[in-house]
Amino acid sequence: MNDSFELSFSSGDVKLDVFFFYEEHNYMWNGGTQARTGKKFKYLFPKFKLCWTLFLGLKVRVPCETITYIEANYGKNWYQPVTSWDWKKSPPNVRENGEWPEAERAEVIQIYF
């Protein structure tokens, strides 16, 4: 999949999203899709490299330029609590990116319970 690939997992009150990044000439991006409507969204990031870190005893890869990555997605005041957040509108790096054609939705949007 070369456009907006994402895996989401949920169990009880916990949801985990795994985003796949795409590299353009001078930036990187990941996509999100609103399953109900097929609308696509693109989240732009400055190019970054991945570094290893320990997270809760598990070795994982994270952007080396951590603060730059966080600020791209959450803004310069990322450390201040936000009481209302809409994943389609709130991030400063989000852009509308069209929508999946109706004929492709069954293939590109798959929900398992």
Side-chain angles (χ1 to χ4, degrees):
M1 170 94 32
N2 61 2
D3 184 1
S4 304
F5 191 51
E6 169 190 356
L7 299 173
S8 296
F9 306 89
S10 64
S11 178
D13 293 339
V14 177
K15 183 169 184 264
L16 171 69
D17 293 323
V18 178
F19 295 100
F20 291 76
F21 278 81
Y22 303 91
E23 189 169 345
E24 301 290 340
H25 179 67
N26 59 354
Y27 65 93
M28 297 175 78
W29 65 277
N30 72 291
T33 298
Q34 185 176 36
R36 182 177 49 82
T37 64
K39 287 185 179 179
K40 299 190 305 183
F41 299 88
K42 182 183 270 191
Y43 300 83
L44 307 177
F45 293 86
K47 283 192 168 186
F48 60 86
K49 293 183 170 130
L50 295 175
C51 292
W52 289 103
T53 191
L54 280 178
F55 178 71
L56 300 175
L58 180 66
K59 198 172 183 181
V60 296
R61 298 195 73 184
V62 299
C64 299
E65 303 83 2
T66 309
I67 298 300
T68 302
Y69 177 89
I70 291 170
E71 287 178 350
N73 209 38
Y74 298 103
K76 296 278 185 192
N77 297 322
W78 58 268
Y79 50 85
Q80 294 178 350
V82 174
T83 57
S84 178
W85 183 266
D86 183 338
W87 65 271
K88 304 174 300 303
K89 297 177 184 173
S90 298
N93 63 339
V94 67
R95 307 291 183 272
E96 290 188 12
N97 193 28
E99 65 181 61
W100 291 106
E102 187 74 40
E104 294 180 18
R105 289 185 190 171
E107 181 182 347
V108 299
I109 303 170
Q110 298 181 23
I111 302 172
Y112 301 94
F113 295 99

